[in-house]
Amino acid sequence: MLGTDIQKPPKGKWHTPPFDPRFPNQNQTRNCYQNFLDYHRCLKRMNRRGKSTQPCEYYFRVYHSLCPISWVQRWNQQIKEGTFAGKI
């Protein structure tokens, strides 16, 4: 999506992501990936409808909190190149 390589977390107080019962285990890799996908799906849907992307902020904060920066950079690069394996 547009400007994905220069994203910054939204301002405001943010501690840690809340518990998500879909990912009860200690390993949060799937949680990271799912929230990355959900963020980009949300952006795509909101932009298509011409609405504010503010509701997508939640997913952005969660994946920025859980995912290693190198993964996010690689996924964003793959999205740019059209080689990202996830369904957005």
Side-chain angles (χ1 to χ4, degrees):
M1 308 310 136
L2 299 176
T4 54
D5 54 340
I6 56 170
Q7 296 170 342
K8 293 182 183 171
K11 293 185 180 182
K13 196 171 187 180
W14 184 258
H15 299 287
T16 58
F19 176 73
D20 188 338
R22 298 176 298 168
F23 310 103
N25 300 321
Q26 186 173 0
N27 186 343
Q28 294 293 298
T29 303
R30 289 185 181 174
N31 192 354
C32 155
Y33 184 71
Q34 186 61 51
N35 279 285
F36 181 84
L37 290 177
D38 289 345
Y39 172 71
H40 286 282
R41 289 174 182 159
C42 180
L43 279 183
K44 184 177 180 181
R45 191 166 288 147
M46 293 304 213
N47 286 332
R48 188 179 306 150
R49 294 178 183 175
K51 294 185 177 181
S52 169
T53 58
Q54 186 173 2
C56 306
E57 180 179 306
Y58 170 79
Y59 302 114
F60 181 84
R61 288 180 160 204
V62 172
Y63 91 74
H64 259 271
S65 179
L66 293 174
C67 300
I69 294 170
S70 61
W71 293 5
V72 173
Q73 289 173 341
R74 182 179 42 199
W75 293 337
N76 285 331
Q77 185 64 31
Q78 290 172 346
I79 289 172
K80 270 184 171 177
E81 296 169 353
T83 59
F84 184 67
K87 185 176 179 183
I88 295 178

